Amino acid sequence: MTFIGWFQILAVLGAVIVCAWPFGLYMTRVFIGERTPLSPLLLPIERMFYIAAGVRLEKEQSWLAYTLAMLTFNASGFLLLFVLLRLQSLLPLNPQGFGGVASDLAFNTAMSFTTNTNWQAYGGETTMSHLVQMAGLAVQNFLSAATGIALAIAVIRAFARNSAQTLGNFWVDVTRGTLYVLLPLSIIVALLFALTGVPQTLAGSVEATTLEGVKQTIALGPVASQEAIKQLGTNGGGFFNANAAHPFENPNAWSNMLSIWSMLLISTALTFTFGRMVGDRRQGNALLVAMYALLITATAVVYWAETSGNPLLAKAGVDMAAGNLEGKEVRFGQALSALYVVATTGLSCGAVNTMHNSLMPLGGLVPLFLIQLGEILPGGVGSGLYGMIVIAILTVFIAGLMVGRTPEYLGKKIEAREMKLAMLALLILPLVILGFAAAAAMLPNALESLANAGPRGLSEILYAYSSAAGNNGSAFAGLSANTPWYNTTLGIAMLLGRFAYVVPVMAIAGAIAAKKKVPASSGTFPTHGPLFVGLLIGVILILGGLQYFPALALGPIVEHFLMHAGKTF
Amino acid sequence: MTIKAIPLLDVGILRQSARDAFAKLAPRKLVRNPVMFVTAVVALLVTLLFVRDLMTGRGGLLFSGQIAAWLWFTVLFANFAEAIAEGRGKAHADALRSTRSETQAKLLLHPDAPKDDLWEPKAADLLELGDVVLVEAGDTIPADGEVIEGIASVNESAVTGESAPVIRESGGDRSAVTGGTVVISDWIKVRVTAEPGSSFLDKMILLVEGAERQKTPNELALSILLSGMTLIFLIAVATLWGLAGYSDTALSITVLVALLVTLIPTTIGGLLSAIGIAGMDRLIRFNVMATSGRAVEAAGDVDTLLLDKTGTITYGNRLATAFIPVPGITDSEVAATALLSSLSDETPEGRSIVALAKGQYRQSEPQLAEMQATFIPFSAQTRISGVDVDGRSIRKGAVDAVLKSLGLTMATAPAAFRAEVESISRSGGTPLAVTDTEKLIGVIHLKDVVKPGIKERFAALRAMGIKTVMVTGDNPVTAAAIASEAGVDDYIAEATPEDKLAYIKSEQAKGRLIAMCGDGTNDAPALAQADVGIAMQSGTQAAREAGNMVDLDSNPTKLIEVTEIGKQLLMTRGSLTTFSIANDVAKYFAIIPALFLATYPELGALNIMGLATPESAILSAVIFNALVIVALIPLALKGITYRPIGAAALLRRNLLVYGLGGLIVPFVGIKLIDLAVSALWLV
């Protein structure tokens, strides 16, 4: 670890927070329906959409109507994308002439992009036509992100309102999220990416002659625009198979920093939106501090583990001064690679600029564990915030009891109904991750996909299901996931991880919105001080640790001890 | 009533509880507690496997037999905790009940006939709603009821502990009588108002009996959390079997069950109902009866307390506090004169004048017998009383009445006198004028005296985050003066019962929880509207039915204790939950390396406690898990001490003790048990 490394890490995070603050306040105005600088331009377009779709702006929905609208919207998106994938050979904008996508892969991919996971069981530049990339995948990149933001806003409203029956209008929220938040940002970020050297073209590929005189086909395409929304919407699905390690997706240190900045921006900004909308910015700041404290700690662990290098190689006489560089791009360096690894998994982004399978055992433990925590640090756009709120509800429940009051969060009492729904939501991830991983660990045909033996193989399986259920989308690599078993089970994991989680969360929001806001007194446990932040961090770590410790012990943890004992597989 | 405090571990109760612990193994009872139900199911599973191995003669019997035994102990200890709490609650309730069961009532066959009409004896337990009974001097009142005819003095010390008899008569606010109290003089006809088995006592007994007990809302929410945690650990442990299979490790059902039971929150799961029952029991010992557990929990959440001024904050009588002379007269002259005028005045005001003159003003008692004294008693027409003695005519009374008798008005009265009178009125007091033979000599300052210590109690409430509101029929000036003296946060002056109700509704609309005390029939709507309504035992039946608690001592300041009990109940649950979950960390460090020692000896690095063998590590964790329930029974019964130090400080304290403690204690405990297990060659 070096000073300059830490300086880079903190500079990027500082830039995120400095920009997220005004942007969070901007989002507040957007979703409250106040005028913004972009209103003169976008308001007529927004109105046009409502007229075309027959949406009445002022008609708000109950939690159930909101959720059903969201599910209908996403189900249609899934179907459309599925059909597009199956029929791509018959459709235009297919310069390389790719055939239709196999049904299990099409299911997996459609689910992956609808759920904001962007798990890619295929190589993008060798499978998908430009039409699919732009009209299918990129559209879902926007819509799945806008869905996440809309859901988060609905949950925030539940806490901001007093005895309310409605949570807003899903169609309005998703339209505004796309028009006012994602589109303008994407345009700016895409231009910035292009400025750093990321290509943006509709050409299929270029022919190059190498030094040895061999003809080489270099894939090209509308990369910069894809890259912008991939990061901003915490989607993570790359244009190229190598994702952000590919020189066209992420050519240099500047594009790398821009990547990290843009994936953290909206999730971070939402904590400010939260604080503003519930009328107490300290509440948002508390969540922010908890998220970033864990994020920075995790970065430190990865940074330390990777720069420490591999003791076995050191023993074999390899110079480990630069640390473990396997799977890393030298142009990014150890510090920003570590931050990228942590950010992409603390968020549910899943873009990778480093091969996670090449991380040291403890370095690989961190991203795996971060995904299993539910990706709330600061999490996917929207999903991170509502995930964090569920944990906060749990924290407040236990803390509230300890001060002798019926627990309340932001003036709303947490009672049996909220607890039931919160537990329902919290059960989904361990059930899906551990259930499928245990099944895969026992199935011979699932084990055939593994590239590594020993505990690392188990880590690969665990990582795949964690990534899918957590809607992350990054892969540990080493697992050939394009098989019917993995395509199907991972697809189901993504479906449950997104929608089976969010339905109970929305039901909580409905119950919370209907409650009276209780004014705080000196007997109320304050949810903005360092004590609450510390407690929140404790609950996140202990709850996550208790669920996954046995599984992790058999994967990265034992591998770490084995490595130090000199055992390899 | 004086319920004898039962020692925390009473031998009789312990013996009974040990028996009950086995009776509670019935599946119908166990299923009410999901955590313990899961424990019992897996204990049964391990036992069956043990029996199978015994038959087939496989090895490792000593280990699996002990695991099975300790799993059963875990369930039994939890049952035992609940049984003890129930036993103590029942013992207190039985002490109350015994006063009633032997009573024979005199059931009137013709309630409307004169009192000497026919009656027949009927056991008090069998009285029905609407029965009319005759209660004469020396009789025990057989059931809760309302006096419909007659007047009697009743000794209520059996339920209130107060030995001075009280008057109970038909009509008005003093018509309610309680079963178990004794009529001392005269007679009354009482109409029974309680259904058999529905009196407060019976309701209270239900609240301390585990089997019939309804879970309170917060207890329900916590049970859901615990069930959810149990399910999560069930998933983690069940899938571990598959994940272990990956590295060719075959885990036995016995060790997986051991891991599961140590992880699921058995500590709080086992003690949860004991905590709830003990909370109700504490309430009984404070002589408060609750009709629902919900009300007790709500008491912990109360943020506004509505208190009647009279009787709660002040003594309710105006007492003399100062003698103020007009110019040219000394204050001891006024004191002496006032004393003389009040010697035969038996009103509380009169007595307070005597006490003040003799006390603070050091006047000696005049020898009235040697004087020719004629007393003029107070009359509602003149509003003046006094004495004619030795040719002097001394009078005291309401200022305007006295001035009128002197032929003066406020305008023509001496300026100094007028200033004093006005200043007393402004401060909320009442001035009495004193004259000596047609000459105005001074003023007596009467005021409503705030009870000593009440200000400190309100300060304590404020520290708990509770706002106090004084309700009084006084004018705003008087109310403001008393409010500032007593240190309440707010007051409602010139309050009518409708004002009270409206105030409660408006506070509730703002999301606040209100508690109030009341005794009159006109308090009933407000008592019913309040989240916590404590009716005074001495109050009317209507009031007692409207409230959700009854205070047998009729002491309105007891709201404070009730609030504390409510808070204590929640705190004990929260702290033990934290403790229980924090315990799991150590258990992982004990069990995980033990499970995989054969496959991955390197995982031994996680065995930071240095436990002897895998078997002893697992067994020690299971034993610790069972024993910790027993160790925490006293805490569950007593509850965690509440201190009004503010929420953040309280949380920090409890987190330190139960969170950090919960992390550390099992490391030490499991290590010690492991040492014992290895020393005894148990595995």
Side-chain angles (χ1 to χ4, degrees):
Chain A
M1 291 197 278
T2 61
F3 173 76
I4 189 80
W6 272 110
F7 177 77
Q8 287 173 339
I9 290 171
L10 295 177
V12 173
L13 294 181
V16 172
I17 290 175
V18 165
C19 300
W21 182 55
F23 193 69
L25 302 188
Y26 165 76
M27 281 200 285
T28 310
R29 296 184 75 89
V30 168
F31 289 103
I32 288 178
E34 288 175 1
R35 273 191 87 76
T36 65
L38 291 179
S39 297
L41 183 68
L42 295 176
L43 204 56
I45 306 175
E46 187 190 344
R47 291 232 174 90
M48 219 175 60
F49 276 115
Y50 297 151
I51 293 166
V55 171
R56 277 170 50 215
L57 179 62
E58 66 292 341
K59 193 176 178 303
E60 294 216 340
Q61 294 164 315
S62 68
W63 78 265
L64 192 61
Y66 198 103
T67 311
L68 288 177
M70 180 275 295
L71 290 175
T72 314
F73 182 65
N74 279 276
S76 330
F78 166 80
L79 278 179
L80 203 67
L81 182 54
F82 182 78
V83 170
L84 211 56
L85 286 165
R86 296 286 286 153
L87 301 182
Q88 78 168 352
S89 58
L90 310 176
L91 297 169
L93 276 178
N94 187 2
Q96 287 106 319
F98 295 132
V101 179
S103 63
D104 60 322
L105 180 61
F107 165 76
N108 182 283
T109 306
M111 193 55 81
S112 170
F113 279 77
T114 315
T115 55
N116 197 261
T117 310
N118 294 28
W119 171 267
Q120 293 168 296
Y122 57 89
E125 64 272 44
T126 55
T127 319
M128 303 298 172
S129 71
H130 286 346
L131 182 79
V132 167
Q133 291 269 21
M134 294 193 301
L137 304 184
V139 166
Q140 278 308 320
N141 276 352
F142 276 97
L143 298 184
S144 65
T147 300
I149 295 175
L151 290 170
I153 294 293
V155 172
I156 296 174
R157 284 194 190 113
F159 285 96
R161 293 179 174 183
N162 196 354
S163 312
Q165 295 306 314
T166 58
L167 294 174
N169 183 319
F170 173 75
W171 306 110
V172 173
D173 288 342
V174 86
T175 308
R176 287 189 179 152
T178 313
L179 272 183
Y180 288 83
V181 178
L182 294 170
L183 263 179
L185 264 185
S186 297
I187 293 171
I188 299 170
V189 173
L191 289 174
L192 289 175
F193 268 121
L195 209 63
T196 63
V198 177
Q200 176 77 5
T201 168
L202 281 181
S205 52
V206 290
E207 293 279 313
T209 312
T210 62
L211 288 175
E212 292 89 19
V214 181
K215 288 259 184 214
Q216 188 183 1
T217 309
I218 297 175
L220 280 176
V223 185
S225 60
Q226 193 88 325
E227 198 64 14
I229 187 60
K230 152 190 154 183
Q231 303 291 13
L232 286 167
T234 63
N235 293 291
F239 193 90
F240 299 103
N241 194 20
N243 208 304
H246 193 289
F248 285 176
E249 280 202 23
N250 195 356
N252 49 44
W254 290 110
S255 64
N256 192 45
M257 285 192 267
L258 181 62
S259 292
I260 300 175
W261 177 88
S262 50
M263 68 173 137
L264 283 165
L265 180 69
I266 296 179
S267 293
T268 307
L270 275 171
T271 62
F272 293 107
T273 308
F274 173 70
R276 175 57 74 97
M277 280 178 77
V278 300
D280 183 356
R281 61 191 166 79
R282 295 173 307 176
Q283 303 289 351
N285 295 352
L287 299 188
L288 182 78
V289 171
M291 289 167 172
Y292 273 74
L294 282 170
L295 198 70
I296 292 172
T297 311
T299 308
V301 174
V302 175
Y303 193 15
W304 166 80
E306 296 307 310
T307 47
S308 302
N310 188 331
L312 298 183
L313 288 177
K315 218 178 282 173
V318 178
D319 179 15
M320 279 281 124
N324 169 36
L325 277 173
E326 182 195 314
K328 293 191 186 65
E329 299 294 311
V330 184
R331 64 183 183 277
F332 308 138
Q334 288 281 12
L336 288 185
S337 294
L339 180 61
Y340 205 110
V341 166
V342 168
T344 197
T345 50
L347 289 152
S348 86
C349 183
V352 289
N353 76 346
T354 300
M355 294 303 112
H356 290 188
N357 196 22
S358 300
L359 295 170
M360 300 303 297
L362 290 186
L365 169 71
V366 171
L368 181 53
F369 188 52
L370 288 178
I371 297 175
Q372 290 170 340
L373 288 181
E375 290 168 317
I376 47 178
L377 312 171
V381 285
S383 62
L385 187 72
Y386 62 68
M388 194 60 154
I389 289 176
V390 171
I391 303 279
I393 286 177
L394 199 68
T395 306
V396 154
F397 185 80
I398 295 170
L401 285 183
M402 277 198 284
V403 301
R405 275 177 77 96
T406 303
E408 58 202 50
Y409 186 49
L410 304 172
K412 303 279 192 160
K413 288 212 182 301
I414 309 299
E415 291 165 302
R417 183 177 162 77
E418 291 75 43
M419 223 48 221
K420 199 185 298 174
L421 294 163
M423 290 318 293
L424 209 58
L426 287 174
L427 272 175
I428 297 295
L429 281 191
L431 184 66
V432 173
I433 295 174
L434 295 173
F436 277 128
M442 304 287 286
L443 280 175
N445 76 346
L447 293 175
E448 274 169 22
S449 293
L450 291 178
N452 298 75
R456 168 89 11 163
L458 190 65
S459 300
E460 287 166 2
I461 296 176
L462 260 180
Y463 196 102
Y465 287 106
S466 302
S467 176
N471 297 140
N472 184 283
S474 67
F476 212 42
L479 179 76
S480 314
N482 192 3
T483 68
W485 161 262
Y486 282 109
N487 277 336
T488 312
T489 53
L490 288 170
I492 295 171
M494 291 183 246
L495 174 73
L496 294 175
R498 176 80 162 186
F499 297 110
Y501 184 85
V502 84
V503 172
V505 171
M506 286 301 286
I508 295 177
I512 292 280
K515 284 178 198 257
K516 264 186 260 176
K517 230 172 151 60
V518 183
S521 75
S522 66
T524 317
F525 164 56
T527 51
H528 48 70
L531 189 63
F532 176 72
V533 172
L535 196 62
L536 192 60
I537 292 175
V539 169
I540 292 170
L541 290 180
I542 290 191
L543 193 74
L546 290 180
Q547 293 173 51
Y548 300 105
F549 185 78
L552 294 174
L554 291 177
I557 295 176
V558 73
E559 195 192 344
H560 171 77
F561 291 122
L562 287 169
M563 177 182 76
H564 281 277
K567 279 195 195 164
T568 55
F569 291 85
Chain B
M1 149 192 31
T2 36
I3 297 185
K4 199 171 58 153
I6 295 173
L8 204 55
L9 300 172
D10 177 88
V11 179
I13 292 179
L14 287 185
R15 201 172 297 138
Q16 180 62 37
S17 304
R19 276 196 296 273
D20 288 349
F22 285 93
K24 284 172 184 288
L25 284 177
R28 193 175 51 84
K29 296 192 173 165
L30 273 180
V31 81
R32 283 172 50 87
N33 184 339
V35 181
M36 279 303 138
F37 185 69
V38 168
T39 311
V41 168
V42 295
L44 188 66
L45 183 65
V46 171
T47 311
L48 290 177
L49 291 174
F50 170 73
V51 172
R52 184 201 65 183
D53 292 352
L54 200 64
M55 302 289 191
T56 55
R58 290 193 207 184
L61 284 175
L62 185 60
F63 174 68
S64 61
Q66 286 187 80
I67 295 281
W70 281 103
L71 293 180
W72 284 115
F73 279 133
T74 311
V75 181
L76 285 173
F77 289 160
N79 289 349
F80 183 61
E82 188 182 87
I84 291 184
E86 266 176 48
R88 288 162 56 79
K90 270 190 210 152
H92 285 139
D94 284 345
L96 281 174
R97 207 198 312 242
S98 65
T99 57
R100 229 173 31 140
S101 53
E102 297 129 28
T103 313
Q104 287 288 323
K106 296 171 178 171
L107 180 69
L108 286 170
L109 299 175
H110 308 289
D112 300 328
K115 96 161 178 89
D116 295 323
D117 198 69
L118 287 176
W119 55 265
E120 63 172 29
K122 189 173 181 185
D125 287 355
L126 303 175
L127 285 177
E128 282 168 30
L129 186 69
D131 280 352
V132 175
V133 294
L134 174 70
V135 192
E136 294 173 294
D139 290 350
T140 302
I141 296 175
D144 291 0
E146 194 171 3
V147 179
I148 54 168
E149 194 184 330
I151 176 167
S153 58
V154 177
N155 179 351
E156 295 196 335
S157 64
V159 289
T160 63
E162 177 65 54
S163 56
V166 293
I167 300 295
R168 293 284 173 251
E169 60 186 331
S170 58
D173 284 356
R174 294 189 299 176
S175 63
V177 289
T178 313
T181 56
V182 180
V183 171
I184 305 177
S185 68
D186 308 289
W187 59 270
I188 42 177
K189 281 185 187 176
V190 175
R191 177 185 290 121
V192 176
T193 52
E195 289 271 10
S198 74
S199 68
F200 277 103
L201 194 57
D202 297 294
K203 283 182 191 161
M204 197 70 199
I205 289 171
L206 276 185
L207 288 179
V208 295
E209 279 180 340
E212 317 303 326
R213 211 167 57 93
Q214 290 269 322
K215 280 186 181 154
T216 54
N218 173 267
E219 196 179 351
L220 198 63
L222 184 57
S223 301
I224 291 168
L225 172 76
L226 299 181
S227 307
M229 301 285 297
T230 305
L231 269 176
I232 287 178
F233 286 124
L234 204 55
I235 294 169
V237 171
T239 54
L240 189 59
W241 183 74
L243 295 172
Y246 172 85
S247 46
D248 297 326
T249 312
L251 295 176
S252 73
I253 300 287
T254 307
V255 296
L256 283 175
V257 162
L259 178 61
L260 174 70
V261 171
T262 51
L263 291 181
I264 62 176
T266 47
T267 313
I268 177 67
L271 294 172
L272 190 55
S273 63
I275 294 170
I277 296 167
M280 299 299 151
D281 182 40
R282 273 198 294 281
L283 211 56
I284 299 185
R285 275 182 289 143
F286 266 105
N287 281 352
V288 176
M289 298 278 171
T291 52
S292 74
R294 177 187 290 266
V296 184
E297 267 175 15
D301 285 353
V302 159
D303 20 33
T304 307
L305 220 53
L306 234 53
L307 295 164
D308 276 330
K309 183 202 76 174
T310 309
T312 308
I313 296 172
T314 66
Y315 285 109
N317 298 315
R318 291 163 178 256
L319 305 179
T321 56
F323 299 116
I324 301 137
V326 296
I329 312 262
T330 65
D331 55 1
S332 57
E333 281 176 277
V334 182
T337 313
L339 173 62
L340 213 50
S341 75
S342 304
L343 279 175
S344 68
D345 184 351
E346 282 303 313
T347 62
E349 288 89 348
R351 282 205 294 261
S352 78
I353 292 171
V354 173
L356 182 71
K358 286 206 265 184
Q360 205 180 323
Y361 287 84
R362 300 173 194 282
Q363 299 295 316
S364 54
E365 172 134 9
Q367 298 305 309
L368 276 187
E370 297 164 14
M371 309 180 195
Q372 286 294 317
T374 319
F375 289 102
I376 291 100
F378 176 84
S379 85
Q381 281 83 34
T382 60
R383 293 191 292 148
I384 291 174
S385 66
V387 62
D388 290 333
V389 61
D390 293 347
R392 292 161 74 192
S393 73
I394 297 168
R395 297 287 181 276
K396 69 170 199 292
V399 172
D400 55 343
V402 169
L403 288 178
K404 199 172 156 199
S405 73
L406 296 178
L408 295 170
T409 62
M410 268 315 263
T412 55
F417 173 84
R418 209 168 59 218
E420 281 304 333
V421 166
E422 277 164 6
S423 111
I424 291 171
S425 299
R426 251 199 321 279
S427 74
T430 308
L432 286 187
V434 184
T435 61
D436 188 354
T437 327
E438 307 280 301
K439 186 166 164 264
L440 204 52
I441 61 163
V443 190
I444 305 171
H445 185 169
L446 291 182
K447 74 177 197 185
D448 213 354
V449 177
V450 170
K451 287 183 179 175
I454 202 93
K455 195 165 187 167
E456 289 71 27
R457 302 215 72 174
F458 291 154
L461 282 169
R462 206 166 297 116
M464 289 161 78
I466 298 171
K467 182 174 132 185
T468 45
V469 180
M470 181 181 85
V471 183
T472 171
D474 291 341
N475 62 57
V477 175
T478 313
I482 293 172
S484 89
E485 195 180 336
V488 293
D489 298 299
D490 197 2
Y491 62 89
I492 315 173
E494 292 173 349
T496 62
E498 292 75 35
D499 290 343
K500 250 194 231 184
L501 190 60
Y503 187 85
I504 293 176
K505 282 184 175 163
S506 82
E507 287 287 295
Q508 283 175 334
K510 289 181 219 154
R512 295 203 169 87
L513 253 66
I514 318 292
M516 72 165 281
C517 293
D519 52 6
T521 301
N522 57 13
D523 283 331
L527 277 171
Q529 178 71 33
D531 301 280
V532 177
I534 304 189
M536 298 296 108
Q537 174 67 13
S538 56
T540 61
Q541 185 65 23
R544 291 195 293 169
E545 274 171 14
N548 43 23
M549 289 189 204
V550 173
D551 178 12
L552 299 179
D553 298 341
S554 305
N555 172 9
T557 59
K558 214 184 266 177
L559 264 175
I560 298 170
E561 276 86 10
V562 173
T563 307
E564 281 186 359
I565 289 174
K567 285 189 179 293
Q568 214 180 11
L569 191 64
L570 298 180
M571 274 171 51
T572 310
R573 282 187 199 142
S575 301
L576 290 186
T577 305
T578 309
F579 184 83
S580 192
I581 296 172
N583 269 213
D584 284 358
V585 175
K587 292 168 186 168
Y588 266 138
F589 279 98
I591 296 184
I592 292 292
L595 291 185
F596 299 103
L597 202 67
T599 320
Y600 297 127
E602 291 78 9
L603 269 183
L606 292 179
N607 180 10
I608 54 178
M609 283 172 271
L611 305 178
T613 63
E615 285 79 17
S616 79
I618 296 171
L619 184 61
S620 303
V622 173
I623 294 177
F624 175 83
N625 194 53
L627 289 183
V628 79
I629 296 180
V630 180
L632 290 174
I633 289 178
L635 186 67
L637 295 183
K638 273 194 344 218
I640 284 164
T641 326
Y642 175 80
R643 288 193 176 82
I645 48 176
L650 201 59
L651 179 66
R652 201 171 299 127
R653 211 183 96 88
N654 286 335
L655 264 184
L656 205 65
V657 177
Y658 299 98
L660 199 62
L663 278 177
I664 297 167
V665 166
F667 279 101
V668 180
I670 293 175
K671 177 68 187 170
L672 289 178
I673 294 171
D674 179 69
L675 289 176
V677 164
S678 331
L680 297 172
W681 295 94
L682 288 181
V683 285

